[in-house]
Amino acid sequence: MPDLEKILRPKSIALIGVSRKEGSLGKKFLDAILRMNYNGKIYPINPKAEQISGIPCFPDLETLPEKPDLAVVLLPSKFVLDAIKELGESEIKNVIVVSAGFKEIGGEGTEREKQLVALANRYGMNLLGPNCMGLFNTDPSVSFNGTFSPTLPNPGHVAYISQSGALGVAIMELAADTDLGFSVFVSTGNKAIISDHDVLEFLRHDLNTHVATLYLESIDDPRKFREVCSQLVRQKPILAVKAGRTDSGKRAASSHTGALANPEYIMKGFLKQSGVIRFDTLEEMFDAARALAAQPLPKGPNVAVVTNAGGPGILASDALEQHGLKLAQLEDSTVQKLKAILPEEAACSNPVDMIASADHDTYHDVMEFVLHDFNVDAVILIIVKPPVDTTPALIAENLEPAIRNCGKTILPVLMAQRDESAGIDVFKRLNLPVFSYPESAVKALSKMWQYHQTQQRFFKAVATAKPTQLHSEPLIQTDSTHSQVPVKDIMSLLDEYKIPVVEYALTPDINEMIEFMNQHSAPVVLKIANERIIHKTDEGLVQLNIGSAEELKAAFDKMKKRARKLLPDSEQPLFLIQKQLKTGLELALGGKRDPLFGSILMMGLGGIFIEVLKDVSFRIAPVNAYEAEEMLKELKSQALLNGFRNIPPLDRHKFAQLIQHFSLLISEHPEISEIDLNPIIWTADTMSALVVDARATFAERRD
Amino acid sequence: MPDLEKILRPKSIALIGVSRKEGSLGKKFLDAILRMNYNGKIYPINPKAEQISGIPCFPDLETLPEKPDLAVVLLPSKFVLDAIKELGESEIKNVIVVSAGFKEIGGEGTEREKQLVALANRYGMNLLGPNCMGLFNTDPSVSFNGTFSPTLPNPGHVAYISQSGALGVAIMELAADTDLGFSVFVSTGNKAIISDHDVLEFLRHDLNTHVATLYLESIDDPRKFREVCSQLVRQKPILAVKAGRTDSGKRAASSHTGALANPEYIMKGFLKQSGVIRFDTLEEMFDAARALAAQPLPKGPNVAVVTNAGGPGILASDALEQHGLKLAQLEDSTVQKLKAILPEEAACSNPVDMIASADHDTYHDVMEFVLHDFNVDAVILIIVKPPVDTTPALIAENLEPAIRNCGKTILPVLMAQRDESAGIDVFKRLNLPVFSYPESAVKALSKMWQYHQTQQRFFKAVATAKPTQLHSEPLIQTDSTHSQVPVKDIMSLLDEYKIPVVEYALTPDINEMIEFMNQHSAPVVLKIANERIIHKTDEGLVQLNIGSAEELKAAFDKMKKRARKLLPDSEQPLFLIQKQLKTGLELALGGKRDPLFGSILMMGLGGIFIEVLKDVSFRIAPVNAYEAEEMLKELKSQALLNGFRNIPPLDRHKFAQLIQHFSLLISEHPEISEIDLNPIIWTADTMSALVVDARATFAERRD
């Protein structure tokens, strides 16, 4: 993987395509670097100029006093390839191509990008772009602003990787004068060589970065992306907005970047599996990023609300429950301590409503008590502009001794004007990220809690039971006239992967069927088992509820007669006889191959739930035990899994094992393009989920 | 209903309980009035002072030169009742009681509030409060700030009614220096006399108010609230945050105000029926209010996105689809015009990505073309800080001729710093409400579209078919030993209200049953029909799938024997025989009485959908045709209504009529406390939804 050290922490930079002309791209870029007091050396390459913006120029690469760590190419697209060649010959390995006019314009641009990639690979170059806005690094030892932007970035600990350069600039603009501060920004542009995962890998070791945020339009190498994320997420939260969630968004995105759209049904599960916390809006993502960068993670979901007004406390309570958090039950001793210092009209349970008379001393004392409460993991601290003689600034100042090293999460909500008395600088100094509304603070807190859980999951991943790889032999398509996998092959595959199937026999012989029925109690089900006949039920080749040998024989005769008409004379019709299960919970599993993501696993409720209501969950196969149980949690018709009528609650743990085994099956058998186990029935009788019907299709052979 | 004219537009005000002491409640109140240059007369009542803050005082009410329009009581709670008495004796009819210490503190406070209400009623007083923050009216002809708040309210056209005084102050504070401007603010406090609906009624005629917003913790008189809203909504949008949506929120709310919690399942449907657009967060409510106050309503859901950067355009597209709007399909002629002026790399379909080179002229020209497009109802106009020689301010200035009187909705998204070049004042002058993120602009636009539809619905309400009132005779509970309504009574009630029931006979006689079976083809269903036996199935007193007279007779004998054991000897068991329907879509209707809201109507899918998944919708009965169809749209398992397997799509219009009739039944029969029609089966055979089972309970008699 490309090492981005010299791209993101360059000690010297050559600028290719910089001129003295005011307003030109190159001049702007140079001026932006100068404005941030870059700590390294700058070498503008321009044979026609002595100096630009006071920096001495060099006529070409050969005259440079040293080999620069990084070169930035700002030339019109038609000159870029030659410049890359020269850089390659001079063994300059780290290059940013800002120039546009590549893949994003299609046609000759696509061709030009191909050549660019070939050149970069030939010279072993780390290349960022083309068609990118550059990057910056606010680390004081680097202090490099390579983004044209006249607005100096707010320094801080949030890294931002954006597939849209404009959404980089826009966020920097909106973040100016707020408490959203950045460590690193990288505009990835067309991602010709360096992609999101390369930057994420750099961030893992970047001490100045505490939180990674991404604006993504496409994921191009899912395997690497997931690999890098699953390491990074153990140390730092990864937050993302993935645009193109909807059909409208996807159309807009593909006209923007020309990138292949990632199907949303895959993306949802994939990002979860990668440990990425996903957001619908940039605003919510950066709200969570501010909170994560400033405050410790909550150790649990129990939240105290401390407020000087009732209304916002109620709104916070509603939001807590809505976002999966809880109002902490305060310890009795805390309530007693609060009662001792608060007026009679105050509410001393949670939310703690100190009422409008609360001043900075009240805030201090209450926070001290609440933060010491063993049941409290986090505090939403609400300040409505107080009518009494105090200010938010004074309140914040006074809080310091109570909150210092308390180890609990505190998110303040400041419902007051941002004037001098608001004390925004004090909140910032105390690492308290300020929110304007209780609901947005709660949302951010819920994402912090989600990250805590995600991180725990990845810490434990080593211990999570994974099915042993089987590497079972690939199935062979013996008959090329149809693509269905024979029933017996499916059955032995299921057996190999320890996926339980309802008791059955596969035979052309009525006597064997009667023997089966005698061994297992009636009723039974009889089905044709021939890969040429796909719509068994429609053809009248399935019969349920067979209660006696006579009924079985009658069904057999009728079905055999029908099957003869559908099959070539040479083919002896084979039948599947199964024990009929009592009514139970119907589940389904499916597998499908995606060209980019590989084996896609589907799990859902059977019957109309999969067929009409599409209540399903997807993941990339194989999955571990945690992921399998998470899929179950994603189903909308959740209540059905918890038992109803005479059906006991599904043994989630046991079914998750079945999901795991099946996921291994599909990932180890790429010769199968699609496979469905539907229904899988969970009943009180068996206390087990048994496959009742299965079908599979061979992938088109490419020989 | 109280007339609030003199409370909200007072020409003279007496202040009861005002002193010279700096920082005192009264002094603060007076100073706030003075700061906004109140246009009327102010009479501070204080026998000990000559003047306060330069305003001459009066020793008592009798010495006043005129009878003031309004009196504001700022005294400690224990002096309030006496003051009210004096005001009443002086025939001062309009009073604001700011003082706290009433119902909200419980105990003696509750008693004090009762006495306050009695006094106010005795003197025919319009009383706002107690325990309220007052009100303001920014209408230049009034200019009255009666809220203590030193922050002058931003004048504008949004009215805000808040049950939490603090959430009034907080919003004023946060709105300072934004484009959220207020016409009227009213803190309703304990709502002892004047309630939300009284203020809403005033707003109907207040020309300065274009949008009404509410922060509600409780609704105390649902009938009046709905009556007022359903008039107001035809003229002005009504937006609300109703706190206490969740159990946590409800607990917090009831400890705050001591008000009875409104059950959320009722509230959701009730607010829809009232025409109120509901929000989860204050921020989203005021975003929508700003947009509604400034821009015309969209005539349709088709939106053009105009942008100088791709990324935000994609985010806007995702948000449009997510919030029920559409990317407009631009006319060919528009696309051609755009192609003629935009660079090759630009995207001329929707979203229109003009790319970064767009300057103020480009914005003007593109907007002119797009606004003239017949397919475009609204525009999301995105400005990322442009790298070229222009500024957002210049862009806005230049837009004026293109957007003036265009009649279409324009919501700008300004992703740039709020510095001088941003031109916030220009946007304001052009009535363009500025958003920071595409997603929030789209959310606000979707609410504008929702209001347009709501308004249309109320305009059409007169024309909406309503079932004629029947005023059928109340059922009489003849046997007081059990509360179940006899089957025959339920059946005749359903018949009266034209609710179709599956063909049936009600008889104790096997011969009549056989005759029924001969008339209607088998299979049939036999059930006990006795109001003492509630769990028919569990008792084995239901048999399905009876195919012949023999089977029927056997079933009858068996069930009769069982029934004998359960019933007194004197009672001849009655049976219900019904035609058995083929498999169809199972629906259910229910009715229940709520002490505050009256008859509550429930509609849902039957079977596990109602029993396990709780997929249901509620309304206050009776409902009109529109409301009934809207209930159907609310079901989560929507796809089932659209037809599947052999079941044709539900005739929504026909079923909505059934819902209407049933809603009339429950609202006209308060003697029934609970009634369930479950299942109601819709099948291909009948192309009708037929009631298959029904049960009802008498309300407890209060005689």
Side-chain angles (χ1 to χ4, degrees):
Chain A
M1 243 195 287
D3 176 4
L4 301 200
E5 181 67 20
K6 288 190 173 171
I7 289 201
L8 273 156
R9 308 177 63 89
K11 292 202 170 60
S12 52
I13 304 171
L15 300 179
I16 323 288
V18 57
S19 79
R20 275 167 302 190
K21 208 178 127 198
E22 281 305 326
S24 71
L25 208 66
K27 177 80 161 61
K28 272 193 183 176
F29 199 87
L30 175 57
D31 290 347
I33 299 180
L34 294 174
R35 206 170 294 116
M36 195 152 117
N37 298 319
Y38 171 54
N39 281 334
K41 292 249 169 18
I42 310 172
Y43 305 118
I45 309 289
N46 186 328
K48 291 180 203 152
E50 286 278 309
Q51 52 87 8
I52 303 175
S53 300
I55 306 291
C57 293
F58 295 83
D60 50 38
L61 295 173
E62 278 155 41
T63 49
L64 292 181
E66 60 172 329
K67 195 177 77 178
D69 278 355
L70 174 66
V72 181
V73 178
L74 299 146
L75 299 162
S77 58
K78 58 183 172 187
F79 303 122
V80 170
L81 295 179
D82 285 342
I84 295 293
K85 236 177 269 172
E86 281 173 41
L87 289 166
E89 294 301 330
S90 307
E91 298 193 338
I92 296 174
K93 301 277 186 200
N94 300 291
V95 180
I96 301 177
V97 180
V98 166
S99 325
F102 290 81
K103 194 179 69 182
E104 80 282 2
I105 61 163
E108 56 164 347
T110 308
E111 190 45 43
R112 193 179 293 129
E113 185 150 330
K114 270 189 200 151
Q115 291 173 23
L116 180 71
V117 171
L119 280 175
N121 284 335
R122 191 204 299 168
Y123 293 111
M125 243 174 216
N126 296 330
L127 186 147
L128 180 69
N131 182 33
C132 82
M133 279 280 204
L135 53 80
F136 69 64
N137 189 341
T138 64
D139 185 335
S141 69
V142 182
S143 210
F144 171 42
N145 178 19
T147 62
F148 309 98
S149 175
T151 312
L152 278 186
N154 229 345
H157 303 292
V158 176
Y160 179 33
I161 306 170
S162 179
Q163 196 166 346
S164 153
L167 278 182
V169 175
I171 297 302
M172 296 313 135
E173 286 278 322
L174 291 172
D177 308 318
T178 72
D179 54 13
L180 173 59
F182 292 93
S183 53
V184 158
F185 163 69
V186 179
S187 162
T188 49
N190 290 4
K191 308 198 265 192
I193 301 282
I194 292 176
S195 192
D196 316 287
H197 54 260
D198 301 310
V199 188
L200 289 171
E201 176 62 25
F202 170 86
L203 295 179
R204 189 144 76 96
H205 305 286
D206 184 44
L207 296 179
N208 204 31
T209 295
H210 301 174
V211 180
T213 61
L214 294 129
Y215 167 79
L216 287 167
E217 291 175 5
S218 63
I219 286 181
D220 312 292
D221 189 335
R223 198 184 53 75
K224 277 197 192 150
F225 183 89
R226 190 171 156 198
E227 209 172 275
V228 171
C229 285
S230 59
Q231 289 306 318
L232 178 57
V233 72
R234 289 161 212 239
Q235 297 155 47
K236 302 172 189 183
I238 312 167
L239 317 183
V241 166
K242 166 71 179 66
R245 285 177 290 138
T246 63
D247 288 344
S248 308
K250 252 194 278 297
R251 274 196 305 279
S254 75
S255 93
H256 183 220
T257 57
L260 251 168
N262 303 128
E264 176 58 20
Y265 74 92
I266 295 180
M267 200 39 75
K268 196 178 155 196
F270 171 77
L271 289 174
K272 276 197 188 175
Q273 284 181 288
S274 307
V276 175
I277 297 177
R278 192 174 179 183
F279 294 80
D280 277 357
T281 75
L282 290 172
E283 193 170 10
E284 285 174 15
M285 175 167 83
F286 288 111
D287 268 355
R290 289 192 298 130
L292 282 159
Q295 282 285 308
L297 289 182
K299 309 278 182 299
N302 301 300
V303 184
V305 177
V306 173
T307 178
N308 62 343
I314 305 172
L315 292 176
S317 307
D318 272 336
L320 283 172
E321 188 166 326
Q322 189 187 352
H323 293 97
L325 298 169
K326 289 178 198 154
L327 271 178
Q329 169 86 44
L330 298 184
E331 292 175 287
D332 284 345
S333 58
T334 308
V335 176
Q336 291 317 319
K337 282 187 250 171
L338 292 173
K339 278 193 175 151
I341 59 159
L342 291 177
E344 209 183 333
E345 300 86 348
C348 298
S349 59
N350 191 10
V352 180
D353 180 0
M354 309 177 292
I355 75 171
S357 55
D359 66 5
H360 40 274
D361 290 327
T362 325
Y363 268 95
H364 169 273
D365 296 349
V366 168
M367 281 299 278
E368 186 151 277
F369 297 152
V370 168
L371 287 168
H372 273 98
D373 191 303
F374 191 75
N375 297 339
V376 171
D377 300 311
V379 180
I380 298 288
L381 175 68
I382 299 172
I383 306 172
V384 172
K385 184 168 176 159
V388 291
D389 271 341
T390 188
T391 61
L394 252 173
I395 292 173
E397 290 278 11
N398 250 266
L399 278 178
E400 189 163 4
I403 68 177
R404 192 191 294 135
N405 296 325
C406 73
K408 299 194 174 179
T409 321
I410 304 169
L411 300 189
V413 179
L414 182 56
M415 303 189 85
Q417 266 189 79
R418 300 295 183 260
D419 56 13
E420 280 160 34
S421 73
I424 293 300
D425 50 329
V426 188
F427 285 96
K428 197 166 175 181
R429 180 170 58 77
L430 297 176
N431 280 321
L432 290 170
V434 174
F435 292 83
S436 294
Y437 291 91
E439 301 95 336
S440 40
V442 170
K443 265 189 214 169
L445 182 60
S446 76
K447 294 299 180 174
M448 295 180 83
W449 172 233
Q450 188 183 335
Y451 173 59
H452 177 90
Q453 291 168 293
T454 305
Q455 194 185 36
Q456 290 304 313
R457 156 157 72 99
F458 278 87
F459 281 146
K460 288 180 199 146
V462 217
T464 310
K466 262 194 190 173
T468 327
Q469 299 205 355
L470 276 182
H471 297 302
S472 74
E473 290 296 312
L475 300 183
I476 292 165
Q477 183 175 3
T478 47
D479 182 347
S480 61
T481 60
H482 52 83
S483 60
Q484 293 292 304
V485 178
V487 176
K488 69 169 173 22
D489 290 354
I490 300 180
M491 289 303 188
S492 53
L493 204 54
L494 293 178
D495 187 50
E496 239 182 316
Y497 284 87
K498 302 202 177 358
I499 296 171
V501 173
V502 64
E503 285 150 304
Y504 75 96
L506 198 59
T507 171
D509 180 358
I510 180 67
N511 294 323
E512 285 183 24
M513 292 177 205
I514 292 173
E515 200 185 310
F516 175 88
M517 199 175 179
N518 292 338
Q519 273 168 18
H520 308 88
S521 50
V524 297
V525 179
L526 190 67
K527 298 174 188 173
I528 188 77
N530 188 294
E531 45 278 18
R532 286 176 207 276
I533 303 170
I534 300 172
H535 302 291
K536 301 187 288 274
T537 309
D538 296 351
E539 300 283 2
L541 291 170
V542 174
Q543 187 155 339
L544 307 177
N545 262 320
I546 300 174
S548 65
E550 293 69 47
E551 280 175 50
L552 179 58
K553 192 143 187 344
F556 172 76
D557 289 340
K558 202 173 74 183
M559 282 165 71
K560 191 166 180 179
K561 215 174 281 172
R562 285 215 187 153
R564 281 253 176 263
K565 289 186 194 152
L566 299 167
L567 298 177
D569 287 349
S570 62
E571 214 164 316
Q572 164 90 312
L574 196 64
F575 287 86
L576 184 70
I577 181 167
Q578 296 173 311
K579 212 173 133 49
Q580 174 153 338
L581 294 175
K582 290 217 178 121
T583 308
L585 177 68
E586 291 192 17
L587 298 142
L589 284 167
K592 201 175 152 176
R593 293 198 66 77
D594 178 88
L596 191 60
F597 287 83
S599 296
I600 309 297
L601 168 67
M602 186 228 60
M603 191 277 302
L605 287 163
I608 51 167
F609 290 93
I610 192 168
E611 194 187 307
V612 189
L613 297 173
K614 319 282 181 216
D615 191 1
V616 290
S617 165
F618 292 92
R619 289 291 186 282
I620 314 299
V623 295
N624 64 28
Y626 181 91
E627 289 162 347
E629 294 209 26
E630 210 180 35
M631 291 179 86
L632 283 167
K633 280 188 210 146
E634 258 170 43
L635 296 183
K636 288 189 233 86
S637 310
Q638 205 46 228
L640 293 178
L641 305 184
N642 302 331
F644 61 99
R645 292 183 183 170
N646 299 319
I647 302 168
L650 176 69
D651 182 336
R652 289 175 184 246
H653 184 64
K654 206 164 165 187
F655 191 68
Q657 277 177 347
L658 197 158
I659 297 176
Q660 275 183 276
H661 290 201
F662 179 71
S663 76
L664 195 64
L665 183 159
I666 61 174
S667 64
E668 292 187 348
H669 286 274
E671 76 277 12
I672 297 177
S673 75
E674 264 190 83
I675 175 164
D676 283 305
L677 312 185
N678 182 11
I680 301 169
I681 301 187
W682 163 258
T683 65
D685 278 9
T686 59
M687 287 304 267
S688 173
L690 301 176
V691 176
V692 169
D693 209 1
R695 47 161 293 280
T697 317
F698 281 113
E700 261 181 63
R701 285 192 293 184
R702 294 174 211 281
D703 48 17
Chain B
M1 242 194 286
D3 177 4
L4 301 201
E5 181 67 21
K6 289 192 173 169
I7 289 201
L8 273 155
R9 307 177 63 87
K11 292 199 174 61
S12 50
I13 304 171
L15 300 180
I16 322 290
V18 56
S19 78
R20 276 167 301 190
K21 209 179 126 201
E22 282 304 327
S24 73
L25 209 65
K27 177 80 161 60
K28 272 193 180 174
F29 199 87
L30 175 58
D31 289 347
I33 301 180
L34 294 174
R35 206 170 293 115
M36 196 152 118
N37 298 319
Y38 171 54
N39 281 334
K41 292 249 169 15
I42 311 173
Y43 304 117
I45 309 290
N46 187 327
K48 292 181 203 151
E50 286 278 308
Q51 53 87 9
I52 304 174
S53 300
I55 306 291
C57 292
F58 295 83
D60 48 40
L61 295 172
E62 279 156 40
T63 49
L64 291 180
E66 59 174 328
K67 195 177 79 181
D69 280 356
L70 174 66
V72 181
V73 179
L74 298 146
L75 298 162
S77 57
K78 59 183 172 186
F79 302 124
V80 170
L81 296 179
D82 284 342
I84 294 293
K85 236 177 268 170
E86 280 173 41
L87 289 166
E89 294 301 331
S90 306
E91 296 194 341
I92 296 173
K93 301 275 186 201
N94 301 291
V95 179
I96 302 177
V97 180
V98 166
S99 325
F102 290 83
K103 195 178 68 182
E104 80 283 3
I105 61 161
E108 56 164 345
T110 308
E111 191 45 44
R112 194 178 292 130
E113 185 149 330
K114 270 188 200 151
Q115 292 174 24
L116 180 72
V117 170
L119 280 176
N121 284 334
R122 188 202 304 168
Y123 293 111
M125 244 174 215
N126 296 330
L127 186 147
L128 181 69
N131 182 33
C132 83
M133 278 282 206
L135 53 81
F136 69 66
N137 188 343
T138 64
D139 185 335
S141 70
V142 182
S143 211
F144 170 41
N145 178 19
T147 62
F148 310 97
S149 175
T151 312
L152 279 185
N154 229 345
H157 304 292
V158 176
Y160 178 33
I161 305 170
S162 179
Q163 195 166 347
S164 153
L167 279 181
V169 176
I171 297 302
M172 296 313 136
E173 286 278 321
L174 291 171
D177 308 318
T178 72
D179 54 12
L180 173 60
F182 292 92
S183 54
V184 158
F185 162 69
V186 179
S187 162
T188 50
N190 289 5
K191 308 199 263 192
I193 301 282
I194 292 176
S195 192
D196 316 287
H197 54 261
D198 301 309
V199 189
L200 290 170
E201 177 62 24
F202 169 86
L203 296 179
R204 190 143 78 94
H205 306 286
D206 183 45
L207 297 177
N208 204 31
T209 295
H210 301 174
V211 181
T213 61
L214 295 129
Y215 167 78
L216 287 167
E217 290 175 6
S218 63
I219 286 182
D220 313 293
D221 189 335
R223 199 185 52 75
K224 278 198 191 149
F225 183 89
R226 189 170 159 199
E227 209 171 274
V228 171
C229 285
S230 59
Q231 289 307 317
L232 177 58
V233 72
R234 289 160 212 241
Q235 297 156 45
K236 302 172 189 184
I238 312 166
L239 318 182
V241 166
K242 166 71 178 68
R245 288 177 287 137
T246 63
D247 288 343
S248 309
K250 251 192 280 298
R251 271 196 306 278
S254 75
S255 93
H256 183 219
T257 59
L260 250 167
N262 303 128
E264 176 60 20
Y265 75 94
I266 296 180
M267 203 35 77
K268 194 177 157 197
F270 171 77
L271 290 174
K272 276 197 188 176
Q273 284 181 291
S274 306
V276 174
I277 297 178
R278 191 173 178 185
F279 294 79
D280 277 356
T281 75
L282 291 172
E283 193 169 13
E284 285 174 16
M285 175 166 84
F286 287 111
D287 268 355
R290 289 192 298 131
L292 282 159
Q295 282 285 306
L297 288 181
K299 308 277 182 301
N302 301 300
V303 184
V305 177
V306 173
T307 177
N308 63 343
I314 305 172
L315 291 177
S317 307
D318 272 335
L320 284 172
E321 189 165 323
Q322 189 188 351
H323 293 97
L325 298 168
K326 288 178 199 155
L327 270 179
Q329 169 85 43
L330 299 184
E331 292 175 286
D332 285 346
S333 59
T334 308
V335 176
Q336 292 317 316
K337 283 187 252 173
L338 291 172
K339 277 193 175 150
I341 59 160
L342 291 177
E344 210 185 330
E345 300 86 347
C348 298
S349 61
N350 191 9
V352 181
D353 180 2
M354 309 178 291
I355 75 171
S357 55
D359 66 6
H360 40 274
D361 290 327
T362 325
Y363 267 96
H364 170 273
D365 296 350
V366 168
M367 281 299 278
E368 186 150 277
F369 297 153
V370 168
L371 287 168
H372 274 97
D373 191 304
F374 191 75
N375 297 340
V376 171
D377 299 311
V379 180
I380 298 287
L381 175 67
I382 299 171
I383 306 172
V384 171
K385 183 164 178 161
V388 291
D389 272 341
T390 188
T391 61
L394 254 172
I395 292 173
E397 290 278 10
N398 250 266
L399 278 178
E400 188 162 7
I403 68 177
R404 193 190 296 134
N405 295 325
C406 72
K408 299 193 174 179
T409 321
I410 304 169
L411 299 189
V413 178
L414 182 56
M415 303 189 85
Q417 265 189 79
R418 300 292 184 261
D419 57 13
E420 281 160 35
S421 72
I424 292 301
D425 51 330
V426 189
F427 284 96
K428 195 166 177 180
R429 181 170 56 77
L430 298 175
N431 280 320
L432 291 170
V434 174
F435 292 83
S436 295
Y437 291 90
E439 300 96 336
S440 41
V442 169
K443 264 189 215 170
L445 183 60
S446 76
K447 295 299 180 175
M448 295 179 84
W449 173 233
Q450 188 183 333
Y451 173 60
H452 177 90
Q453 292 168 292
T454 304
Q455 195 184 35
Q456 290 304 312
R457 157 157 72 98
F458 278 87
F459 281 145
K460 287 179 198 148
V462 217
T464 309
K466 263 195 189 170
T468 329
Q469 298 204 356
L470 277 182
H471 298 301
S472 74
E473 289 295 311
L475 300 182
I476 292 165
Q477 184 174 359
T478 48
D479 182 347
S480 62
T481 59
H482 52 84
S483 60
Q484 294 291 304
V485 179
V487 177
K488 71 169 172 22
D489 290 354
I490 300 179
M491 290 304 188
S492 52
L493 203 54
L494 295 177
D495 187 50
E496 240 182 316
Y497 284 86
K498 300 200 181 356
I499 296 171
V501 172
V502 66
E503 286 150 304
Y504 75 96
L506 200 59
T507 171
D509 180 358
I510 181 68
N511 294 322
E512 285 182 25
M513 293 178 206
I514 292 172
E515 201 185 310
F516 174 89
M517 199 176 179
N518 291 338
Q519 274 168 18
H520 308 86
S521 51
V524 295
V525 179
L526 189 68
K527 299 174 187 170
I528 188 76
N530 189 294
E531 45 280 17
R532 285 176 208 275
I533 302 170
I534 299 170
H535 302 290
K536 301 189 287 276
T537 310
D538 297 349
E539 300 282 3
L541 291 169
V542 174
Q543 187 154 340
L544 308 177
N545 264 318
I546 300 173
S548 65
E550 291 69 48
E551 281 176 48
L552 178 59
K553 190 141 188 349
F556 171 77
D557 289 341
K558 204 173 73 184
M559 282 164 73
K560 192 165 176 179
K561 213 173 281 171
R562 284 215 187 154
R564 281 253 177 265
K565 289 186 192 151
L566 299 169
L567 297 177
D569 286 349
S570 61
E571 213 164 317
Q572 164 90 312
L574 195 65
F575 287 86
L576 183 71
I577 181 167
Q578 295 174 308
K579 213 172 130 49
Q580 174 152 339
L581 294 175
K582 291 217 178 120
T583 308
L585 178 67
E586 292 192 16
L587 297 143
L589 283 167
K592 200 178 155 177
R593 293 199 66 76
D594 178 88
L596 191 60
F597 287 82
S599 296
I600 308 298
L601 167 67
M602 185 227 59
M603 191 277 303
L605 288 163
I608 51 167
F609 290 93
I610 191 168
E611 193 188 308
V612 189
L613 298 172
K614 319 280 181 215
D615 192 1
V616 291
S617 166
F618 293 91
R619 287 292 186 281
I620 313 300
V623 295
N624 64 28
Y626 180 92
E627 289 162 346
E629 294 209 26
E630 211 180 36
M631 290 180 87
L632 283 167
K633 280 188 210 146
E634 257 169 42
L635 296 184
K636 287 188 234 89
S637 310
Q638 204 47 225
L640 293 178
L641 305 183
N642 301 331
F644 62 100
R645 292 184 183 166
N646 298 319
I647 303 168
L650 176 70
D651 183 337
R652 289 174 185 246
H653 184 64
K654 207 165 165 186
F655 191 68
Q657 277 177 348
L658 197 158
I659 297 175
Q660 277 183 275
H661 291 201
F662 179 71
S663 76
L664 195 64
L665 182 159
I666 61 173
S667 65
E668 291 186 350
H669 286 276
E671 76 277 14
I672 296 177
S673 74
E674 264 191 84
I675 175 166
D676 283 305
L677 312 185
N678 181 12
I680 303 169
I681 301 187
W682 163 259
T683 65
D685 278 8
T686 58
M687 287 305 267
S688 173
L690 301 176
V691 176
V692 169
D693 209 358
R695 46 162 294 278
T697 317
F698 281 113
E700 261 180 64
R701 285 191 294 185
R702 293 171 215 280
D703 47 18

